[in-house]
Amino acid sequence: MFEYSLGTVKCQVVFKNANVLNVFTNEWIEQDIAVQYGTIVGVGHYEGENEIDLKGKYVVPGFIDAHMHIESTLCSPEELSKALLQNGTTSVICDPHELVNVRGKEALDYILAASKNTSLDIYTMLPSSVPCSDIDTNGAGKFSAADMEGYLNDPYVIGLGEVMRVDDVVNERPEMVEKLELFKDMVMDGHAPQVSGKVLQAYRFADIATDHESSAYEEAIEKLRAGFYVLIREGSQAKNMEPIVKGFLKHHIPFDRTVFCTDDCHIDDILCHGHINAIIRKAIELGVNEKEAYKMASWQPAQIYGLKRKGAIAAGYQADFVVLNNPKTVEIDSVYKNGYKATLKHVAPVVCDEDLMHTVMIPEIVKGDIQIKRRDKNDVIEIEAGTLLTKHLKEEVPGYVYFEPNEKYSKVVVIERHGRNGNVATGILKGYGIENGALGSTIAHDSHNMIIAGDNDDDILLAAKELEKMQGGYVLIKDHQVFHRVACPIAGLMSTQSAARLAPLVMELQLGAHEMGIPENIDPFQTLSFLSLPVIGQIRILDTGVYDVDKGEFVEQ
């Protein structure tokens, strides 16, 4: 290969007259890019067997999403690959803990096989916290260090996924210690919302390297000072970039230990608004230097996760790059993967086991199972728009003997759907606003039981039956009729449809939900999905009851 770098032999392809971003010196330099066998062999002045004149366009390294859950897009990896490549994303770091919570190793084997069946490079962090707590019910039970060990030789397995069980870390519980020890020479992702002080120091002492849960500058800067890499999240519901970036700029904090991630992002948002390219654009609009913004989306995540041949346009690096018409607006001209123009060519998906297509099993439920006795003041879960956080309120709610939903207060129900115990729990939700119906889902982090919010029991029960019938996904009930539905039969989390067909269905469902009263600044799906995640405060609802995260105890309903 040296003869190609030396220029004594012409390369397969040379991209001529490009303004190349040099991530090492923060410069735009007019150069040619020489590519052989999918690898950049030289940057400078070269001649090739095939020459592509870029005519002064700007070239940056392919974008990397530093942390995402493929399941949250609702797409199979094959379909997601096409959607991301057209937006300039050439690599992602995924954590399949949603699938693994539902079906363990069977689901992990599927996602690893499907991820390798794409043009995208999909790297996997093995789920660390299955289950994420001991107080709710998942489908798979425990995913232990012994279960993980057999996957460590897979070159696309690069570390330990977000460590949600903070208490297990700082209290050195044996099962968590085994996982930390197993991955001691690999990258370990964090998940520490609102963790601070000495607990944060102890958590960092465990060699956990990253965190993507900061929702404000003050939280992000404390984690940065503690030695974490800060993953700035901009997903469908959690939009944390603006307060963090503005705080960094105001206080002149460098961005060299920060990167971008989406975490949880629906396919309709990706196709309509973009992916990492949209985050870069927003960062530049907020005042981040354009070169720094591109490095946060390429070079810096590659360094964190040990992707030694990614993230730069230089000799020896993979020929993954994005050609831009305008770097300030991130206007994409074309995307190249391994030196070839990325296409949206159809890829036949990996077929998952039949068992993975039948994971929704619920008990018979009647109205009496979902009543809430009205008290002088009831415990209420209040939604905070734009974040994944909730507030724990004590308020007087409508009704006589039992709580009766209205435009201000909704009823929220969680039903254990893995066929393990048939648990049903009911709570009061403020700020969701749904009227004349119900919205239900089998996507409820992280145990992924069935969760339904509505203003009347008939529609809530109809939503539950429809979700079981279609083996998972989303359903919108209006005036006692199925109004919209999106089937996600792969573990009750992912669709078998193409991204192009799926996105309009999701958009229709979202529009219908907003028309039924859910505020525009609330993502109907992601908000509902995260109400069951007991590692984010202040209050959640699980199949086992309404749970005060801050106090670590269930509340009486």
Side-chain angles (χ1 to χ4, degrees):
M1 295 284 280
F2 287 101
E3 61 270 25
Y4 300 112
S5 300
L6 292 168
T8 55
V9 177
K10 288 184 178 181
C11 297
Q12 289 173 320
V13 60
V14 171
F15 297 85
K16 304 286 290 185
N17 304 314
N19 282 305
V20 176
L21 175 63
N22 189 303
V23 298
F24 311 114
T25 61
N26 280 15
E27 298 176 282
W28 292 110
I29 306 174
E30 188 173 342
Q31 295 174 306
D32 303 332
I33 306 167
V35 176
Q36 185 73 21
Y37 305 133
T39 299
I40 299 170
V41 294
V43 180
H45 178 71
Y46 283 89
E47 294 180 354
E49 295 176 0
N50 180 28
E51 295 185 348
I52 299 172
D53 188 358
L54 295 183
K55 300 177 181 179
K57 295 183 188 296
Y58 296 81
V59 180
V60 296
F63 308 143
I64 301 171
D65 189 333
H67 174 75
M68 77 174 305
H69 303 287
I70 292 174
E71 307 97 307
S72 293
T73 69
L74 309 183
C75 281
S76 68
E78 294 92 347
E79 284 299 316
L80 180 63
S81 173
K82 296 186 288 186
L84 296 192
L85 281 170
Q86 67 181 319
N87 285 293
T89 302
T90 55
S91 302
V92 301
I93 315 296
C94 85
D95 181 347
H97 73 197
E98 322 299 350
L99 278 163
V100 176
N101 263 288
V102 175
R103 274 297 164 91
K105 294 176 72 173
E106 176 188 353
L108 179 58
D109 290 340
Y110 159 71
I111 200 73
L112 287 172
S115 294
K116 293 167 186 172
N117 188 37
T118 71
S119 300
L120 197 69
D121 286 331
I122 300 177
Y123 299 94
T124 298
M125 307 291 281
L126 291 185
S128 70
S129 303
V130 176
C132 72
S133 75
D134 296 328
I135 56 174
D136 58 353
T137 310
N138 71 352
K142 293 182 179 180
F143 187 63
S144 68
D147 293 323
M148 298 176 180
E149 196 165 3
Y151 294 94
L152 295 187
N153 291 328
D154 188 317
Y156 286 91
V157 171
I158 61 171
L160 186 65
E162 52 186 315
V163 181
M164 298 179 169
R165 301 181 68 126
V166 176
D167 287 346
D168 287 9
V169 174
V170 301
N171 292 313
E172 300 182 82
R173 292 188 177 129
E175 289 183 347
M176 181 56 71
V177 170
E178 288 177 8
K179 294 173 185 177
L180 298 177
E181 182 64 23
L182 185 64
F183 286 88
K184 65 181 179 180
D185 296 322
M186 302 172 79
V187 181
M188 296 188 284
D189 275 338
H191 180 286
Q194 300 181 306
V195 175
S196 63
K198 290 180 179 177
V199 175
L200 184 67
Q201 295 295 316
Y203 187 66
R204 177 65 191 95
F205 184 71
D207 281 337
I208 294 167
T210 75
D211 181 83
H212 61 273
E213 288 291 338
S214 296
S215 58
Y217 164 74
E218 292 76 14
E219 184 175 3
I221 192 63
E222 183 180 4
K223 289 171 179 173
L224 193 69
R225 288 168 176 161
F228 292 92
Y229 294 100
V230 172
L231 277 53
I232 300 176
R233 175 175 57 191
E234 194 76 358
S236 288
Q237 172 65 12
K239 299 184 184 297
N240 306 140
M241 178 160 53
E242 186 166 346
I244 295 173
V245 165
K246 283 185 174 179
F248 274 48
L249 291 171
K250 179 180 178 181
H251 295 91
H252 307 290
I253 305 298
F255 289 95
D256 56 347
R257 289 180 64 86
T258 62
V259 300
F260 298 132
C261 76
T262 58
D263 195 10
D264 295 284
C265 197
H266 272 153
I267 189 61
D268 59 312
D269 282 338
I270 293 169
L271 291 183
C272 290
H273 306 298
H275 189 237
I276 298 297
N277 56 324
I279 300 178
I280 298 169
R281 184 183 306 114
K282 184 172 181 178
I284 294 170
E285 289 171 352
L286 289 169
V288 178
N289 177 276
E290 66 185 52
K291 302 181 189 73
E292 290 295 335
Y294 286 110
K295 287 172 64 175
M296 291 165 71
S298 57
W299 173 246
Q300 286 163 208
Q303 292 300 293
I304 294 170
Y305 290 99
L307 308 179
K308 62 182 295 185
R309 298 196 180 276
K310 289 184 177 289
I313 298 173
Y317 285 80
Q318 199 166 328
D320 296 351
F321 51 82
V322 184
V323 180
L324 303 169
N325 294 319
N326 186 334
K328 293 190 181 298
T329 60
V330 201
E331 182 187 339
I332 295 176
D333 174 87
S334 51
V335 180
Y336 286 84
K337 184 76 184 69
N338 298 322
Y340 294 95
K341 183 174 282 191
T343 68
L344 305 185
K345 186 178 180 180
H346 178 72
V347 177
V350 168
V351 178
C352 60
D353 291 344
E354 192 64 23
D355 285 350
L356 203 57
M357 302 287 285
H358 296 89
T359 62
V360 181
M361 298 162 280
I362 63 171
E364 287 294 325
I365 304 167
V366 297
K367 289 183 181 180
D369 297 324
I370 58 173
Q371 298 298 322
I372 300 173
K373 188 175 181 180
R374 187 181 177 277
R375 308 176 189 278
D376 290 339
K377 288 191 175 181
N378 284 73
D379 293 275
V380 174
I381 305 166
E382 184 180 38
I383 293 166
E384 289 192 34
T387 79
L388 301 180
L389 303 174
T390 54
K391 289 183 180 178
H392 186 179
L393 306 178
K394 290 263 192 183
E395 294 192 346
E396 184 178 340
V397 299
Y400 294 94
V401 177
Y402 297 107
F403 161 63
E404 297 177 5
N406 61 11
E407 70 280 354
K408 187 176 181 180
Y409 298 98
S410 307
K411 181 177 286 188
V412 58
V413 178
V414 173
I415 305 165
E416 189 274 314
R417 62 103 164 171
H418 305 292
R420 287 181 167 265
N421 53 40
N423 285 341
V424 179
T426 309
I428 301 170
L429 185 60
K430 183 178 181 181
Y432 201 62
I434 190 166
E435 297 181 73
N436 303 315
L439 178 62
S441 173
T442 53
I443 301 163
H445 301 284
D446 276 333
S447 290
H448 295 291
N449 288 303
M450 189 180 291
I451 186 166
I452 306 165
D455 73 340
N456 70 88
D457 292 345
D458 288 329
D459 286 345
I460 288 171
L461 295 179
L462 178 57
K465 290 179 180 178
E466 186 65 21
L467 285 169
E468 184 179 34
K469 178 181 176 182
M470 64 192 210
Q471 281 300 299
Y474 289 108
V475 63
L476 185 63
I477 307 296
K478 183 177 181 180
D479 296 327
H480 314 314
Q481 299 289 328
V482 176
F483 190 56
H484 286 302
R485 66 202 292 274
V486 177
C488 296
I490 303 176
L493 301 176
M494 299 162 69
S495 173
T496 56
Q497 298 197 70
S498 70
R501 294 189 65 183
L502 180 61
L505 293 176
V506 176
M507 291 172 67
E508 277 185 44
L509 191 61
Q510 185 160 1
L511 179 61
H514 287 308
E515 289 174 347
M516 290 173 63
I518 298 176
E520 290 292 334
N521 62 347
I522 289 176
D523 184 292
F525 318 114
Q526 297 285 16
T527 299
L528 194 63
S529 295
F530 277 94
L531 288 177
S532 284
L533 183 58
V535 294
I536 299 178
Q538 293 177 324
I539 183 170
R540 303 282 144 168
I541 179 168
L542 319 175
D543 70 296
T544 43
V546 176
Y547 183 69
D548 185 318
V549 178
D550 295 347
K551 292 182 179 179
E553 61 186 29
F554 288 96
V555 302
E556 186 178 0
Q557 287 293 91

